[in-house]
PDB file of all heavy atoms in Angstrom:
ATOM      1  N   ARG A   5      -9.039 156.417 139.111  1.00  0.00           N
ATOM      2  CA  ARG A   5      -8.259 156.841 140.277  1.00  0.00           C
ATOM      3  C   ARG A   5      -8.193 155.734 141.334  1.00  0.00           C
ATOM      4  O   ARG A   5      -7.142 155.492 141.931  1.00  0.00           O
ATOM      5  CB  ARG A   5      -8.864 158.100 140.868  1.00  0.00           C
ATOM      6  CG  ARG A   5      -8.080 158.657 142.015  1.00  0.00           C
ATOM      7  CD  ARG A   5      -8.727 159.917 142.546  1.00  0.00           C
ATOM      8  NE  ARG A   5      -7.802 160.585 143.424  1.00  0.00           N
ATOM      9  CZ  ARG A   5      -7.815 161.865 143.656  1.00  0.00           C
ATOM     10  NH1 ARG A   5      -8.695 162.636 143.066  1.00  0.00           N
ATOM     11  NH2 ARG A   5      -6.947 162.394 144.473  1.00  0.00           N
ATOM     12  N   ALA A  24      12.166 142.527 141.002  1.00  0.00           N
ATOM     13  CA  ALA A  24      11.095 141.540 141.150  1.00  0.00           C
ATOM     14  C   ALA A  24      10.775 140.916 139.793  1.00  0.00           C
ATOM     15  O   ALA A  24      11.000 141.515 138.745  1.00  0.00           O
ATOM     16  CB  ALA A  24       9.851 142.197 141.733  1.00  0.00           C
ATOM     17  N   TRP A  29      -0.713 133.154 135.037  1.00  0.00           N
ATOM     18  CA  TRP A  29      -1.467 132.395 134.040  1.00  0.00           C
ATOM     19  C   TRP A  29      -2.927 132.813 133.964  1.00  0.00           C
ATOM     20  O   TRP A  29      -3.675 132.353 133.118  1.00  0.00           O
ATOM     21  CB  TRP A  29      -1.369 130.887 134.302  1.00  0.00           C
ATOM     22  CG  TRP A  29      -1.849 130.485 135.665  1.00  0.00           C
ATOM     23  CD1 TRP A  29      -1.068 130.322 136.777  1.00  0.00           C
ATOM     24  CD2 TRP A  29      -3.184 130.198 136.067  1.00  0.00           C
ATOM     25  NE1 TRP A  29      -1.861 129.963 137.847  1.00  0.00           N
ATOM     26  CE2 TRP A  29      -3.162 129.872 137.442  1.00  0.00           C
ATOM     27  CE3 TRP A  29      -4.414 130.185 135.406  1.00  0.00           C
ATOM     28  CZ2 TRP A  29      -4.303 129.543 138.152  1.00  0.00           C
ATOM     29  CZ3 TRP A  29      -5.557 129.847 136.124  1.00  0.00           C
ATOM     30  CH2 TRP A  29      -5.489 129.532 137.473  1.00  0.00           C
ATOM     31  N   PRO A  32      -6.271 138.135 131.200  1.00  0.00           N
ATOM     32  CA  PRO A  32      -6.357 139.570 131.483  1.00  0.00           C
ATOM     33  C   PRO A  32      -7.781 140.075 131.697  1.00  0.00           C
ATOM     34  O   PRO A  32      -7.962 141.166 132.200  1.00  0.00           O
ATOM     35  CB  PRO A  32      -5.717 140.226 130.256  1.00  0.00           C
ATOM     36  CG  PRO A  32      -5.738 139.201 129.208  1.00  0.00           C
ATOM     37  CD  PRO A  32      -5.713 137.865 129.888  1.00  0.00           C
ATOM     38  N   LEU A  46       3.695 146.221 135.624  1.00  0.00           N
ATOM     39  CA  LEU A  46       3.938 147.385 134.776  1.00  0.00           C
ATOM     40  C   LEU A  46       4.233 148.617 135.624  1.00  0.00           C
ATOM     41  O   LEU A  46       5.199 149.348 135.364  1.00  0.00           O
ATOM     42  CB  LEU A  46       2.722 147.630 133.880  1.00  0.00           C
ATOM     43  CG  LEU A  46       2.839 148.712 132.828  1.00  0.00           C
ATOM     44  CD1 LEU A  46       3.925 148.366 131.829  1.00  0.00           C
ATOM     45  CD2 LEU A  46       1.510 148.882 132.112  1.00  0.00           C
ATOM     46  N   ALA A  47       3.442 148.840 136.665  1.00  0.00           N
ATOM     47  CA  ALA A  47       3.647 149.990 137.552  1.00  0.00           C
ATOM     48  C   ALA A  47       4.957 149.882 138.319  1.00  0.00           C
ATOM     49  O   ALA A  47       5.623 150.890 138.569  1.00  0.00           O
ATOM     50  CB  ALA A  47       2.477 150.123 138.523  1.00  0.00           C
ATOM     51  N   SER A  56      -0.493 131.036 129.170  1.00  0.00           N
ATOM     52  CA  SER A  56      -1.926 130.895 128.897  1.00  0.00           C
ATOM     53  C   SER A  56      -2.601 130.079 130.001  1.00  0.00           C
ATOM     54  O   SER A  56      -1.988 129.176 130.578  1.00  0.00           O
ATOM     55  CB  SER A  56      -2.149 130.229 127.545  1.00  0.00           C
ATOM     56  OG  SER A  56      -1.904 128.845 127.635  1.00  0.00           O
ATOM     57  N   ALA A  58      -4.774 127.867 129.548  1.00  0.00           N
ATOM     58  CA  ALA A  58      -4.841 126.484 129.067  1.00  0.00           C
ATOM     59  C   ALA A  58      -3.566 125.725 129.405  1.00  0.00           C
ATOM     60  O   ALA A  58      -3.613 124.547 129.765  1.00  0.00           O
ATOM     61  CB  ALA A  58      -5.101 126.449 127.566  1.00  0.00           C
ATOM     62  N   PRO A  64      -0.524 121.772 135.475  1.00  0.00           N
ATOM     63  CA  PRO A  64      -0.240 122.791 136.492  1.00  0.00           C
ATOM     64  C   PRO A  64       1.238 122.882 136.904  1.00  0.00           C
ATOM     65  O   PRO A  64       1.716 123.958 137.257  1.00  0.00           O
ATOM     66  CB  PRO A  64      -1.109 122.361 137.677  1.00  0.00           C
ATOM     67  CG  PRO A  64      -2.229 121.604 137.051  1.00  0.00           C
ATOM     68  CD  PRO A  64      -1.610 120.889 135.882  1.00  0.00           C
ATOM     69  N   LEU A  71       7.947 129.343 137.399  1.00  0.00           N
ATOM     70  CA  LEU A  71       8.368 130.108 138.573  1.00  0.00           C
ATOM     71  C   LEU A  71       9.839 129.848 138.881  1.00  0.00           C
ATOM     72  O   LEU A  71      10.608 130.769 139.165  1.00  0.00           O
ATOM     73  CB  LEU A  71       7.509 129.750 139.788  1.00  0.00           C
ATOM     74  CG  LEU A  71       6.070 130.234 139.777  1.00  0.00           C
ATOM     75  CD1 LEU A  71       5.275 129.547 140.879  1.00  0.00           C
ATOM     76  CD2 LEU A  71       6.004 131.731 139.931  1.00  0.00           C
ATOM     77  N   SER A  72      10.233 128.586 138.800  1.00  0.00           N
ATOM     78  CA  SER A  72      11.615 128.214 139.069  1.00  0.00           C
ATOM     79  C   SER A  72      12.557 128.716 137.971  1.00  0.00           C
ATOM     80  O   SER A  72      13.601 129.297 138.254  1.00  0.00           O
ATOM     81  CB  SER A  72      11.724 126.691 139.192  1.00  0.00           C
ATOM     82  OG  SER A  72      13.049 126.298 139.393  1.00  0.00           O
ATOM     83  N   GLN A  75      13.071 132.405 138.141  1.00  0.00           N
ATOM     84  CA  GLN A  75      13.426 132.856 139.489  1.00  0.00           C
ATOM     85  C   GLN A  75      12.436 133.919 139.969  1.00  0.00           C
ATOM     86  O   GLN A  75      12.806 134.955 140.508  1.00  0.00           O
ATOM     87  CB  GLN A  75      14.857 133.370 139.532  1.00  0.00           C
ATOM     88  CG  GLN A  75      15.864 132.291 139.217  1.00  0.00           C
ATOM     89  CD  GLN A  75      17.281 132.792 139.263  1.00  0.00           C
ATOM     90  OE1 GLN A  75      17.556 133.973 139.131  1.00  0.00           O
ATOM     91  NE2 GLN A  75      18.200 131.863 139.443  1.00  0.00           N
ATOM     92  N   ALA A  76      11.148 133.637 139.740  1.00  0.00           N
ATOM     93  CA  ALA A  76      10.087 134.567 140.091  1.00  0.00           C
ATOM     94  C   ALA A  76      10.024 134.814 141.593  1.00  0.00           C
ATOM     95  O   ALA A  76      10.241 133.897 142.381  1.00  0.00           O
ATOM     96  CB  ALA A  76       8.749 134.044 139.585  1.00  0.00           C
TER      97      ALA A  76
END
Side-chain angles (χ1 to χ4, degrees):
R5 184 179 193 154
W29 57 266
L46 186 63
S56 76
L71 289 167
S72 177
Q75 297 180 338

